[in-house]
Amino acid sequence: MNSFLPAAYLEAEIDGQVRQFSLARENIFRIGRSDKNNVVLTDDLASRNHAMLQRSDEGRFYISDLGSSNGTFVNGARISAPVILQPGDRIGIGNHEFSFHQEALGQPSPIEEPDELQSTNILFAQSLITVLVTDIRDFTGLARRVDASKLSMLTGAFFREAGKALQQRGAWAQKYIGDAIMAVWLHKKRAPELRELAAVLESLSRLSGIAAGLQAQFGLDAPIRIGAGINTGWASVGNVGSIASSDYTAQGDVVNKAFRLESATKEIVCDLALGQGTFDFLAGAIEAGPFFQAHTVTLKGYDEPATAYALQHSSLPALLEALLRATHG
C-alpha cells in the first residue's frame, strides 16, 4: 500500500457520537444501510448502497451517488455525476451529514505494480446511455405458487436466456437485481443511432417472449409477464471492484429514473414506460406519437411530475418495423 498518500477522513455525528472514518488507505469507500458498507447507517432515508467515494491515482476523492432513492448532496446540492471533494465539503446522506477532511496534496505518488486484489482506481466517465430495466410481474405471487427449487430453476433459465439475448443485441453491461434486470447501451455519438434504439426495443421484445415461454417449460398455471422502463441520458460509466474482478456499471439520474419508470408501469397499467429522453430521440426520427400514450406520473424520490410514454408489448412489432424503415430509408 502506498504510504505517500495524504491523510483523509470523513467526520459525522452518528448515534449521538462524533465519529471519524479514515479514507487514506481506501481506494473505494461505501456508505449505506447494508452491513457490507464501510459506514453503515441506521437511517430510513438512506438506501442500502447509497454513495461511494473513490480515490484517484493523484489522491483526490470523488463521490458518486449509487442510484439512491433520496439522493446524495454535496454542500446542499444533489449530485447526479461524480464530484471532486474539497476539504470542508459537506456531504448529505439521509438524515446524516458528513464533513470531508484532507491534508494538502503533495507531489504525485510513486507508481506501484498493481496488486491482484487491490481495488481499481478507474474513475467514471460521462457517456450518453440508454437503460432498460425489466421486472417480473407479481414475483411475490409466483413465489407463493411454486416451490423454492422450481422458482430457482425458473429464474435461472430466464436470466440465462435473457443474458444471451442482451449480449447479442449489443448491451454494454447487465445487472441482475432480485427478479429485475438492468441493461445498458453506450452511445458513441451525442444522439443514439436508430439501430441502437431498435436493439433496445428488440431486447425487450425478446425478453418478453422468453418470459412467456416459461409457462409451458415449467408447467405454470399462468404466463409470466414483465414490465419495463427505458430511459436515455448522460450518466457516469466505469468499473469498480478489483483488478481480478471488475464490475462495470452506470450511475446517475438517467439510471434511477429508468427504475422508477418501470415501477410506474403498474400505476398506468402498461408493459413499457418510456422516458422523455428516449421518446424525444425516437420522435426525431419517426412518427412515434401513435405508438405511445403519454401519462403524467410522480416518480418516487422526485418532487416534480414526469411524463411517461406507455406502450404495450403487442405494439412493439409495429414500432420496430417503423424503426427499421427509417433506418434503411
Side-chain angles (χ1 to χ4, degrees), residues 136 154-164 174 176 178-181:
I136 296 176
L154 185 153
T155 54
F158 177 60
F159 289 155
R160 183 169 56 253
E161 294 304 313
K164 293 177 184 177
Q174 304 171 33
Y176 299 87
D179 60 314
I181 299 173

Side-chain angles (χ1 to χ4, degrees), residues 200-201 228-232 261 265 268 270 272-280 282 288 292 307-311 319:
V200 179
L201 293 167
I230 297 178
N231 201 25
T232 302
L261 285 165
T265 60
I268 59 182
C270 67
L272 165 66
L274 205 69
Q276 188 71 56
T278 314
F279 181 82
D280 287 345
L282 280 177
F292 297 91
T307 302
Y309 295 87
L311 181 81
L319 176 58

